[in-house]
Amino acid sequence: MSDMTHEPASFAFTAEYQAKADAFIAKYPAGRQQSAVMPLLDLAQRQDGWVSRAAMEVIAGLLDMAPIRVEEVATFYTMYNRKPVGKFHVQVCTNLPCMLRGSDDVVAAAKAALGVEFGDMTTDGLFTLSEVECLGACVNAPMMQINDDYYEDLDADSTKAVLEAFKRGETPKPGPQNGRQFSCPAGGPTSLTELTFQTEKA
């Protein structure tokens, strides 16, 4: 259940987000519009930063669904924020692969850099810190997601550096923070290391 103290009295999509909602709904054949519930919840969250009960009621109306059916989806998936979050939502993975690679150090550094515990927002409203389950970047563990970007191959120092950059108004480069190329082995690529072209002879 959401914290009712945050619930607004009403919600409306902006013209931009309403057009996106209409486009999602139009992808489904007549009678199947309810299939658009997840992308519409995502749009509401992108617009306001979280999904309010008022937003769920608007989505229910657009999709001809009972509001409780929309709430069931919104509360089942952890990717939907049911209370306001900061401008930067810092989600630290503490699942087994990340834990084995040092996520405890990442957690400690994030808490120290932001001065909050899991589930809290900084007093300036800039950051919310959350603990999450696997985000699917195990090969680059430990990692954290900030808004839509992944920051990977972290340790305490790189975690602090990423967060301090956001505090300064910068956007650090997403991806591995230890110099690794994408998900290549830590020592660099071991195959397909040269770009060669073969041409067919006529």
Side-chain angles (χ1 to χ4, degrees):
M1 230 14 127
S2 62
D3 181 349
M4 296 299 290
T5 61
H6 298 295
E7 293 289 342
S10 63
F11 171 87
F13 280 117
T14 64
E16 175 191 0
Y17 280 99
Q18 184 64 58
K20 291 179 180 182
D22 293 342
F24 276 120
I25 295 168
K27 291 182 179 185
Y28 298 97
R32 301 287 186 183
Q33 288 83 6
Q34 293 179 3
S35 299
V37 66
M38 291 184 73
L40 266 61
L41 285 166
D42 181 67
L43 288 177
Q45 181 162 287
R46 288 180 183 278
Q47 178 179 303
D48 286 359
W50 67 294
V51 180
S52 64
R53 180 164 282 116
M56 288 188 279
E57 289 174 0
V58 167
I59 291 167
L62 290 171
L63 301 178
D64 195 24
M65 294 174 73
I68 187 62
R69 298 291 178 230
V70 178
E71 186 164 0
E72 287 172 345
V73 176
T75 56
F76 178 81
Y77 292 99
T78 58
M79 62 194 173
Y80 299 119
N81 304 318
R82 289 294 295 116
K83 63 180 184 178
V85 297
K87 179 180 178 182
F88 303 110
H89 190 188
V90 180
Q91 301 173 80
V92 181
C93 178
T94 58
N95 212 332
L96 186 60
C98 281
M99 185 203 60
L100 291 172
R101 299 273 298 153
S103 66
D104 287 351
D105 294 337
V106 174
V107 168
K111 288 180 177 181
L114 300 178
V116 295
E117 295 294 320
F118 281 139
D120 294 338
M121 185 189 308
T122 56
T123 54
D124 59 9
L126 280 180
F127 297 92
T128 294
L129 182 62
S130 299
E131 179 178 24
V132 294
E133 291 296 319
C134 183
L135 291 169
C138 306
V139 72
N140 294 90
M143 59 84 61
M144 64 184 172
Q145 179 178 352
I146 301 178
N147 295 349
D148 287 334
D149 293 321
Y150 279 16
Y151 293 87
E152 305 160 327
D153 291 308
L154 296 168
D155 58 20
D157 291 339
S158 57
T159 299
K160 180 181 177 184
V162 166
L163 295 173
E164 292 297 333
F166 275 106
K167 286 182 182 179
R168 293 190 301 270
E170 302 168 7
T171 303
K173 184 179 178 183
Q177 300 299 303
N178 64 352
R180 186 199 306 223
Q181 180 185 7
F182 305 112
S183 297
C184 286
T190 58
S191 60
L192 301 175
T193 56
E194 295 180 13
L195 183 63
T196 59
F197 294 97
Q198 289 184 337
T199 56
E200 271 187 34
K201 292 184 179 180

